[in-house]
């Protein structure tokens, strides 16, 4: 613990208790050790150490699951805490899984309690005061469980939205990565014409991008310089120019629409055509690959 003196002292006392229980025999103190680890997780979360909180909660869960009979409500509480800290640790898939387990445990506890209260209600109606007190306590717990279920279901819906958003982002990044990594792209008719509209824009190396004299001319490969591919737009020969002008009216609407579907390709051309563009592209690829590897279940 690296927080305030009170936080450090709390952590030291909990660690001392953990060591004492472990030396005396962990199987004798499953409940106490579970509580120690759950409290250590709270301290870690207060210091924004969510990975440490998750580790302590997982240990607490392992200990409490060994207890007989199992306390479903206590297990549900640990699963819910795990869900919260895993979300803060950027693990939404695991967070959603633990939230669903917590819901199932609360539903199981509610079913057990309802079955138990059926017999108690009969005794309470017969005038048994102890049964009446037990019935009142059980009904209060049922109300608590209903409130907990509402909160857990809202949390599960929120996590489903987060997962859907992550999936959408990953799909988009996968598509971009495929294009940037050199996956063949369908050439967009008239894309060269769309590139001509970038006159006056600046590249990453400060170079000026200007429109060619004939924006409908084809792309001419000028080879490579210093490892970078150079492209330019040149007017076609006179014979080809006449044929191009004859086809221009029919292809221009389609070309404009297709040009709008190839932003990544145009960006690649602009980056590769500027000084330092090759290194910039490699850095971008590494960043996208890192993002796509995050948060896999």
């Amino acid at each position: 613990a690296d927080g305030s003196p009170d936080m450090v002292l709390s952590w030291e006392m909990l660690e001392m208790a953990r060591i004492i229980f472990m030396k005396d025999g962990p199987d004798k103190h499953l409940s106490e050790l579970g509580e120690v680890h759950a409290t250590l997780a709270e301290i870690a979360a207060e210091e924004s150490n969510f990975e440490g909180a998750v580790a302590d909660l997982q240990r607490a869960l392992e200990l409490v699951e060994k207890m007989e009979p199992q306390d479903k409500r206590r297990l549900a509480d640990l699963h819910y805490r795990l869900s919260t800290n895993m979300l803060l640790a950027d693990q939404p898939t695991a967070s959603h899984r633990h939230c669903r387990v917590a819901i199932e445990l609360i539903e199981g506890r509610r079913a057990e309690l309802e079955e138990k209260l059926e017999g108690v209600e009969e005794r309470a109606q017969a005038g048994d005061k102890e049964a009446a007190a037990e019935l009142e306590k059980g009904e209060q717990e049922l109300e608590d469980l209903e409130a907990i279920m509402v909160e857990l279901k809202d949390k599960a819906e929120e996590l489903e939205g987060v997962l859907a958003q992550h999936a959408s982002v990953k799909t988009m990044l996968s598509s971009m990565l495929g294009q940037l990594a050199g996956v063949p792209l369908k050439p967009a008719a008239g894309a060269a014409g769309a590139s001509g509209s970038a006159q006056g824009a600046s590249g990453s190396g400060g170079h000026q991008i200007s429109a060619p004299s004939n924006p409908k001319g084809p792309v001419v490969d000028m080879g490579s310089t210093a490892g970078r591919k150079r492209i330019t737009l040149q007017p076609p020969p006179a014979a080809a120019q006449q044929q191009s002008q004859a086809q221009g009216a029919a292809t221009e609407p389609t070309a404009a629409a297709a040009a709008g579907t190839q932003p990544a390709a145009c960006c690649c051309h602009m980056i590769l055509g500027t000084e330092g563009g090759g290194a910039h592209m490699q850095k971008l690829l590494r960043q996208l690959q890192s993002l796509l590897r995050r948060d896999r279940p």
Side-chain angles (χ1 to χ4, degrees), residues 141-247:
E141 184 177 353
L142 280 175
E143 291 180 7
D144 294 342
L145 292 174
E146 288 295 335
I148 292 170
M149 282 294 297
V150 171
E151 182 179 353
L152 286 174
K153 288 181 178 179
D154 288 344
K155 185 71 173 180
E157 290 180 5
E158 176 187 343
L159 289 169
E160 287 167 4
V162 172
L163 289 174
Q165 184 178 12
H166 276 230
S168 176
V169 170
K170 283 186 176 182
T171 301
M172 179 184 68
L173 290 177
S174 296
S175 176
M176 292 176 60
L177 183 61
Q179 292 181 345
L180 294 174
V183 174
L185 299 174
K186 292 181 179 180
S195 299
S197 64
Q199 182 175 6
S202 256
S204 61
H207 297 285
Q208 203 71 11
I209 303 174
S210 56
S213 57
N214 186 355
K216 293 185 179 180
V219 175
V220 179
D221 187 353
M222 299 300 292
S224 62
T225 301
R228 297 196 306 271
K229 185 176 179 180
R230 296 173 54 195
I231 62 170
T232 185
L233 298 173
Q234 295 291 345
Q241 186 173 4
Q242 293 178 359
Q243 183 179 0
S244 174
Q245 289 174 351
Q247 296 176 348

Side-chain angles (χ1 to χ4, degrees), residues 9-296:
L9 181 61
S10 299
W11 181 85
E12 290 175 350
M13 297 302 293
L14 287 165
E15 276 294 304
M16 187 180 298
R18 184 185 67 81
I19 292 170
I20 292 171
F21 288 137
M22 290 294 292
K23 284 184 176 180
D24 191 45
D27 292 338
K28 298 179 184 179
H29 305 285
L30 292 174
S31 180
E32 292 83 356
L33 280 168
E35 190 62 32
V36 166
H37 280 283
T39 310
L40 286 170
E42 290 182 10
I43 293 175
E46 284 288 333
E47 297 176 348
S48 299
N49 179 13
F50 302 115
E51 289 81 5
V54 167
D56 276 312
L57 286 169
Q58 287 174 333
R59 180 56 181 155
L61 185 61
E62 291 173 2
L63 293 164
V64 174
E65 283 177 337
K66 294 179 181 178
M67 295 172 57
E68 292 293 343
Q70 287 194 342
D71 187 342
K72 287 186 171 62
R73 189 164 179 177
R74 186 175 179 183
L75 288 170
D77 177 65
L78 289 172
H79 278 286
Y80 178 73
R81 293 194 201 182
L82 268 169
S83 175
T84 301
N85 282 278
M86 283 180 165
L87 181 61
L88 294 170
D90 198 20
Q91 302 176 36
T93 303
S95 174
H96 181 258
R97 182 173 66 251
H98 281 282
C99 186
R100 298 303 308 178
V101 173
I103 291 174
E104 293 172 3
L105 287 166
I106 292 296
E107 288 176 342
R109 173 56 185 164
R110 182 175 61 183
E112 287 179 356
L113 190 57
E114 288 174 346
E115 183 179 355
K116 178 182 177 181
L117 291 179
E118 288 178 1
V120 175
E121 186 175 3
E122 294 177 359
R123 297 201 315 270
Q125 290 174 352
D128 190 334
K129 293 182 179 180
E130 291 183 1
E134 185 179 353
L135 178 62
E136 183 180 356
K137 183 180 178 181
E139 289 176 345
Q140 181 60 49
E141 184 177 353
L142 280 175
E143 291 180 7
D144 294 342
L145 292 174
E146 288 295 335
I148 292 170
M149 282 294 297
V150 171
E151 182 179 353
L152 286 174
K153 288 181 178 179
D154 288 344
K155 185 71 173 180
E157 290 180 5
E158 176 187 343
L159 289 169
E160 287 167 4
V162 172
L163 289 174
Q165 184 178 12
H166 276 230
S168 176
V169 170
K170 283 186 176 182
T171 301
M172 179 184 68
L173 290 177
S174 296
S175 176
M176 292 176 60
L177 183 61
Q179 292 181 345
L180 294 174
V183 174
L185 299 174
K186 292 181 179 180
S195 299
S197 64
Q199 182 175 6
S202 256
S204 61
H207 297 285
Q208 203 71 11
I209 303 174
S210 56
S213 57
N214 186 355
K216 293 185 179 180
V219 175
V220 179
D221 187 353
M222 299 300 292
S224 62
T225 301
R228 297 196 306 271
K229 185 176 179 180
R230 296 173 54 195
I231 62 170
T232 185
L233 298 173
Q234 295 291 345
Q241 186 173 4
Q242 293 178 359
Q243 183 179 0
S244 174
Q245 289 174 351
Q247 296 176 348
T251 60
E252 195 165 316
T254 304
T261 65
Q262 298 289 339
C266 294
C267 290
C268 291
H269 292 166
M270 292 171 66
I271 292 173
L272 290 172
T274 58
E275 186 175 351
H280 180 77
M281 180 65 69
Q282 292 176 359
K283 180 179 178 182
L284 180 59
L285 284 172
R286 287 195 298 269
Q287 291 175 346
L288 291 174
Q289 288 168 344
S290 175
L291 286 171
L292 289 172
R293 286 195 296 266
R294 289 178 55 187
D295 188 38
R296 291 185 176 176

